[in-house]
Amino acid sequence: MGANEQRRDKDLVKHFQQALGPFVVAVEATRMPMVFTSADTDHRIIFANDSFLKLTGFRRSEVIDKPFARLLTGAENPDTLKLIESEFQGSAEPLNVECLRKDGGRVSASLLVVPVHDRQGAVVQYVASFVDLTVHNKWRRREKSALRKLFQQTPDFIATTEGPDHRITFANAAYQQLVGDRDLVGRTMREALPELATQEILAQRDQVYRTGKAFLARWTPVKLQREPGADVETRYLDLIYQPITAPDGTVTGIFCEGHDVTEQKILDDRVKALQVDLIHMTRLSAMGTMAATLAHEMTQPLTAIANNVAACSRLNAMEGDHRAQIKGLLEAIAAAVRRGGDVIHELQKLTERRKTPRDHFRLKDAIHESVALVRAAGCGNAAIVDRSAEQIELDADRTQIEQVLINLLRNSCEALGPSGGCVTISTTMRQGKVIVSVKDTGEGVSPEAAKTLFQWSDSAKPHGAGIGLSICRTIVEAHGGDLWLKESGHTGSCFAFSLPLAPNGEVQGHA
């Protein structure tokens, strides 16, 4: 600065010290860049302190009497001018601006404007204060660089986009590996990954940008063509879309993070397939043993049919009206045929390679029907007491569950012997499952017999137990439950099995 400029500068300071007194002295001494402007529409600069001149590189004479907006970038932009004017009109929030430097550079700063009033309350001047954000921005850049390095090293895939067209601003190595070797940064999602254009995953990204609500998904299928000319392959992703917002809450972009769980999904599918195969093979391997059991079980209804047919023939050959007796025998024959058909049908279902069909039903209804069938078939002197809860609901194969109930009830009735006793069926709820208990007052199961209760065997009982405890357990386990001997002793035995409750299928009271 020449001697003349220095004298002129000192004269300007002296002039404003005389005009505004100690206030200008204080402003001149502060390290915060500050300027005074007029109250007219151009807000012409009438004073600038040394800190402001040091920040911008201008001489005082070069800024005095210039419109305030000329010191900032974007002065020719109406939107920028509107923001600056709102600051002079008393905006409560500081405005981030870029100050022009004499050397052509720019300085980021936070601007706050305060009006100066006269004794009558009229605005006579404005004081504009600047906070240099250069250091803050350097720190933010270093922080952003450190985050990018961290994001690059993480095994999860990470990408950021901006704007409604999702222009990619960052993609780490894991993301690049996921989508294949192609240019990403600077391109929109539809340009960089055209195969996503019609997929739900891109529609979800649009929705996050539109609503500002995060999106979380597990095992989301995504079709990707990871190499030019290669087949499109399906990858499964766990991911989250998090909206990036401006200070005013406007969504400006999306942060995407997640990991590829394709291999985990494949392994899970394989495990499920192996489980299905294992159940299927277990059922097939049991068929050899089942053949002997089937022969024994079918002997009962076939013998009953033969005996009743013979009785019908004898009555038919006799004189007199025997229609009522013949009708009763025919009904018994029909019941034996149905029973034989049920045995065969159940065994056939167990060997089929398919999922167990599920019905939604009330457990109480299945128990009631099973008790009625056991009573009709004859349960000796046994009294069957139903203490099950009323409103328990299941999603299961009702026929198979009834077969398990019938088998346990008949076994308990037979365990009582000729002297009779009581069989009680009850239910309890525990951790999302219902436990069905069938208890009798018989002599109990011997320790030796308890060891092989659930193994296949050729039963020698005069009245077979249907498809046997082994298949009963298989049915229950296929439904996600278990079957076990709950207790046994001189006061009787109790068998129990558990089944998952249907959604909202648990009642408040239970028996």
Side-chain angles (χ1 to χ4, degrees), residues 303-318 329 333:
T303 300
I305 292 170
N307 291 337
N308 288 326
V309 168
C312 285
S313 298
R314 288 195 298 272
L315 288 171
N316 189 50
M318 295 171 61
L329 292 171
I333 291 171

Side-chain angles (χ1 to χ4, degrees), residues 296-312 314 328-340 462-463:
H296 173 77
E297 297 298 333
M298 289 301 295
T299 297
Q300 300 171 58
L302 290 175
T303 300
I305 292 170
N307 291 337
N308 288 326
V309 168
C312 285
R314 288 195 298 272
L329 292 171
L330 290 175
E331 289 176 351
I333 291 171
V337 170
R338 286 195 298 271
R339 177 61 185 155
H463 302 288

Side-chain angles (χ1 to χ4, degrees), residues 4 8 118 139 203 226 249 322 342 356 408 412 448 455 462:
N4 291 334
R8 185 179 178 188
D118 61 15
W139 177 83
R226 305 176 74 189
H322 304 289
D342 289 343
T356 304
L408 295 179
S412 294
E448 294 77 16
Q455 296 179 9

Side-chain angles (χ1 to χ4, degrees), residues 196-218:
L196 300 184
T198 58
Q199 297 186 47
E200 183 67 21
I201 191 170
L202 197 55
Q204 290 292 352
R205 184 182 285 268
D206 291 335
Q207 184 174 357
V208 171
Y209 192 89
R210 184 172 60 256
T211 65
K213 295 181 180 179
F215 170 74
L216 176 66
R218 283 183 50 80

